Amino acid sequence: MDVATCPWDGFDAATISFCEARLCGWIVEPANAWTSLSKTLVGLALIPACWRARRPALWAISSTALLQGPLGFSLHATGTFWGEALDVCGMFLISGLLITFALARLRGWGSRRLISTYVVLTACSAAALFLFRPSGIWVFSAQLVGWATLEVLHARRAPRADRRWLWRMVGCFALGFAFWLGDKTGLACDPSNHVINGHALWHLATSACLALFFMFEAGHGDT
C-alpha cells in the first residue's frame, strides 16, 4: 500500500510512540491495539459481581474498565493525536478511580459523593489535557502520587486492615511497568512483532490490576 493512501494520514500524528512499528492500515499497532481491549473484557466480567454486591460505587470500577479499553484502542489503532488524547483520558479514568476510592475510605464517603467527585476529577483532568497538550503524563503521574499518599495515610489510620488484594495489585502494576519500561526504552524490543510485546503485556497487567482493585474495594467499606 502506498504511504499516501494510509487511512490515518490526514490526522495529526500522536506525540508518543512505542516499540511496535506502525503499519499502514486501519490498525497501525495490532498487538498494542487488541490487548488494550482486555480492560473491556475485565469490565464485562465484573458486571455480575457488581449486581451481587449491591454497592453502587463498585459500578465505577466496572464502567472504567469497560470505557478504558476502547479509549486505549483509539491510540494504538490510529497512531493519531486525537487517539492519544482519548487514551490519556482513559488513563485519567484509572488514576481518578484510585484517588476517589482512597478518599472515600479515608473520609467515610458514600457512593453518591464518591461518584460525583470521580466525574469532576476526571473531567478537570481531561480539560487540562486539551488546554495544555503536554500535561497528560504529568497530571496522571501526580494523581498516582496523590493516590499513594492517601493509601499511606489510610494505612496509618487502619493498620490492621486487610490489604492483600491491594498489594497484589501494586505488584502486578510494578511487573507491568517493567514491561512498559523495557518496551519504551528499547531494552526488550522487536518492532516487527505485531503479536505480543512489552507494551501489550503492560496492557494485560493493568487489566489484571483493575480486577485486583475491584477485589480489594469489594471487601472494604459501604460505598
Side-chain angles (χ1 to χ4, degrees):
M1 183 182 294
D2 187 84
V3 174
T5 65
C6 295
W8 306 108
D9 282 354
F11 298 90
D12 290 342
T15 63
I16 58 175
S17 61
F18 300 95
C19 172
E20 185 176 6
R22 288 177 178 162
L23 304 174
C24 181
W26 289 105
I27 307 295
V28 301
E29 298 174 17
N32 291 340
W34 295 118
T35 53
S36 295
L37 297 179
S38 59
K39 292 183 179 64
T40 299
L41 296 178
V42 168
L44 291 170
L46 292 177
I47 289 176
C50 290
W51 279 111
R52 292 193 298 269
R54 297 183 181 277
R55 289 172 55 191
L58 293 180
W59 283 98
I61 304 176
S62 176
S63 299
T64 292
L66 286 168
L67 290 171
Q68 217 282 330
L71 292 174
F73 182 87
S74 65
L75 165 62
H76 298 297
T78 69
T80 62
F81 178 75
W82 67 261
E84 176 184 338
L86 291 175
D87 177 60
V88 175
C89 287
M91 292 165 56
F92 292 154
L93 287 176
I94 293 178
S95 57
L97 187 80
L98 296 174
I99 286 180
T100 49
F101 269 89
L103 280 171
R105 278 185 277 108
L106 193 65
R107 305 295 294 176
W109 290 352
S111 289
R112 181 174 297 179
R113 186 166 185 181
L114 184 155
I115 293 171
S116 61
T117 301
Y118 178 44
V119 171
V120 170
L121 178 60
T122 52
C124 290
S125 300
L129 172 67
F130 286 101
L131 289 173
F132 309 102
R133 284 192 175 191
S135 68
I137 191 63
W138 298 108
V139 172
F140 178 71
S141 299
Q143 290 181 355
L144 287 184
V145 171
W147 166 69
T149 302
L150 291 170
E151 291 295 352
V152 169
L153 292 174
H154 192 271
R156 290 181 176 178
R157 177 174 295 187
R160 296 185 180 181
D162 186 355
R163 294 183 175 83
R164 285 175 293 180
W165 288 110
L166 182 64
W167 283 115
R168 289 165 185 162
M169 186 197 81
V170 171
C172 187
F173 181 88
L175 178 62
F177 184 71
F179 287 126
W180 184 94
L181 198 60
D183 181 274
K184 185 65 176 174
T185 60
L187 292 175
C189 174
D190 178 5
S192 65
N193 188 336
H194 298 291
V195 178
I196 195 69
N197 57 53
H199 197 75
L201 291 171
W202 156 258
H203 289 157
L204 298 177
T206 49
S207 296
C209 285
L210 284 170
L212 293 169
F213 185 67
F214 181 91
M215 297 299 294
F216 172 64
E217 291 296 348
H220 288 78
D222 300 320
T223 53

